[in-house]
Amino acid sequence: MPKDTGTRAEQRARTRRTLIRQGRRLFAEHGYGQVGLAGIVAAAEVTKGALYHHFDGKAALFRAVLEEVQQEVGASVAGAADAHTDPWEQLTSGCRAFLTASTAPDVRRIMLVDGPAVLGWREWRALDEASSAHHLREALASLVDAGILAPQPVAPLANLLSGAMNEAALWLADSGGEQDLEDVWSALSRLLESLRDN
Amino acid sequence: MPKDTGTRAEQRARTRRTLIRQGRRLFAEHGYGQVGLAGIVAAAEVTKGALYHHFDGKAALFRAVLEEVQQEVGASVAGAADAHTDPWEQLTSGCRAFLTASTAPDVRRIMLVDGPAVLGWREWRALDEASSAHHLREALASLVDAGILAPQPVAPLANLLSGAMNEAALWLADSGGEQDLEDVWSALSRLLESLRDN
DNA sequence: TAACTCGACATACCGTTGGTATGTGAAAGG
DNA sequence: CCTTTCACATACCAACGGTATGTCGAGTTA
């Protein structure tokens, strides 16, 4: 594995990616508070100088990791939704994709548990909004426009559903099969179904 | 304010209460990670020796603080629910009480943001279960028994609703009036209403 | 191509933090 | 009274996040 080869931009990008990768691994495995910079830079086979050259500090590295996680989840949700043309199926498949994606252990810990505490809920919410929350709000809005959902403010409803799915993902990841995905999904889809007009 | 008076048990209890009080204040104001033991013991006018005599460490103090917060919220929910005899009104008034109680700044930060990250989601959930979550589950169960809700597993539904309300409380506390309690509450009560059979 | 610049780190160091080991003086018990 | 016990206070430590400075090679210029 050549490490100090290639152009400078390549080396820079590779170091940054390695820091994010190892940071993500360690943050996911032990939690933000239990991971030291020493462990991260050792795993990445660099020094603290490199970390502070790329990021403003520990929290900034975590933010970069969280952004990566959020983007993956958002892409998964968008991909699932775009596979359908019917707006209702777009909503349900998007929600289901969110559930399965955010049940992964690293997503769970980084995005759902440590994220708000480390970055503050406000900034966490901004990242969530940019990556996947707006999908939900837009899906609900188009359902209201199509008359499938009763006319109502979509923003509060989107927040409620988002919180419900976050909690569901936490339960799923924790119970580890004891409470199956299908049980939670049937409860969530029943909830969504009950919202339909008529 | 006499500090070193009274029996030993009284002194002990007073010191413990003071530590919890000041810890709660500082944790709520600055967040768990930004608060040092030095600040806590200074505010409580004791030393670290006292803190470690009463608690196993920083996280254990936080746990005691969180337990107090949870119990207050739980008592508020139970009180609101017990004020009604109709099971549906018990549910709705309990949910509304939860919303208003957990919108308070210290409850929000300690219980909803830092709690899961500091203690781990599993332990956090256990405390939540003991204090208020079981109220929700029991209310839903009796509504199913009464035929007001369609027969369904209540545990997953309770989790979804709990998550929805947590997120709603975070939004409420953050927007600070911009997004009013009534907006969120109307969305939540609409959601609950849509669950009713017929 | 030789001299120079600059960026991508490495090294050495610092203040603060959570945690521990030990000391102490007053209240409880006989 | 004397002893024990307990509720802390004091002194200390290792580890942590963060910073200031040094270094060396790739890129640029003459």
Side-chain angles (χ1 to χ4, degrees), chain A residues 67 70-71 73-75 77-78 111 126-135:
Chain A
E67 278 182 18
Q70 297 260 47
Q71 282 191 4
V73 173
V77 169
M111 190 176 92
L127 292 179
D128 184 49
E129 170 68 25
S131 68
S132 63
H134 69 280
H135 290 135

Side-chain angles (χ1 to χ4, degrees), chain A residues 24-191:
Chain A
R24 174 170 177 169
R25 224 200 57 213
L26 293 169
F27 287 148
E29 190 171 351
H30 308 291
Y32 180 82
Q34 306 305 316
V35 175
L37 293 185
I40 298 175
V41 298
E45 297 181 76
V46 292
T47 64
K48 284 202 285 184
L51 197 155
Y52 276 90
H53 182 70
H54 284 277
F55 304 98
D56 281 344
K58 190 186 177 185
L61 172 62
F62 180 85
R63 191 197 146 94
V65 169
L66 176 56
E67 278 182 18
E68 187 185 274
V69 172
Q70 297 260 47
Q71 282 191 4
E72 289 176 11
V73 173
S76 171
V77 169
D82 289 350
H84 297 82
T85 54
D86 176 56
W88 182 259
E89 282 186 352
Q90 284 185 345
L91 172 69
T92 55
S93 66
C95 287
R96 187 170 174 121
F98 180 86
L99 258 191
T100 60
S102 47
T103 299
D106 55 343
V107 175
R108 170 197 143 94
R109 180 128 206 188
I110 293 170
M111 190 176 92
L112 299 179
V113 176
D114 283 339
V118 174
L119 299 182
W121 184 81
R122 214 158 183 157
E123 192 170 351
W124 179 83
R125 231 342 178 170
L127 292 179
D128 184 49
E129 170 68 25
S131 68
S132 63
H134 69 280
H135 290 135
L136 177 59
R137 223 187 31 254
E138 289 165 6
L140 292 174
S142 50
L143 284 169
V144 168
D145 286 346
I148 301 174
L149 287 182
Q152 60 189 293
V154 293
L157 178 59
N159 298 339
L160 291 175
L161 292 178
S162 173
M165 288 188 287
N166 286 345
E167 189 75 11
L170 286 165
W171 274 94
L172 271 176
D174 189 68
S175 60
E178 178 196 331
Q179 191 168 22
D180 201 60
L181 169 63
E182 293 311 319
D183 293 345
V184 175
W185 173 247
S186 68
L188 178 59
S189 69
R190 196 193 321 261
L191 188 69

Side-chain angles (χ1 to χ4, degrees), chain B residues 7-8 35-37 48 52 58:
Chain B
T7 169
R8 274 237 293 251
V35 175
L37 293 184
K48 283 202 286 184
Y52 276 90
K58 189 186 177 186

Side-chain angles (χ1 to χ4, degrees), chain B residues 116-138:
Chain B
V118 173
L119 300 182
W121 183 81
R122 210 157 188 159
E123 193 170 350
W124 179 83
R125 225 355 174 161
L127 292 179
D128 184 49
E129 171 67 26
S131 67
S132 64
H134 70 279
H135 290 134
L136 177 59
R137 223 187 30 251
E138 288 165 7

Side-chain angles (χ1 to χ4, degrees), chain B residues 88-107:
Chain B
W88 182 259
E89 282 186 352
Q90 284 185 343
L91 173 69
T92 55
S93 66
C95 287
R96 189 172 172 117
F98 180 87
L99 258 191
T100 60
S102 48
T103 299
D106 54 344
V107 176

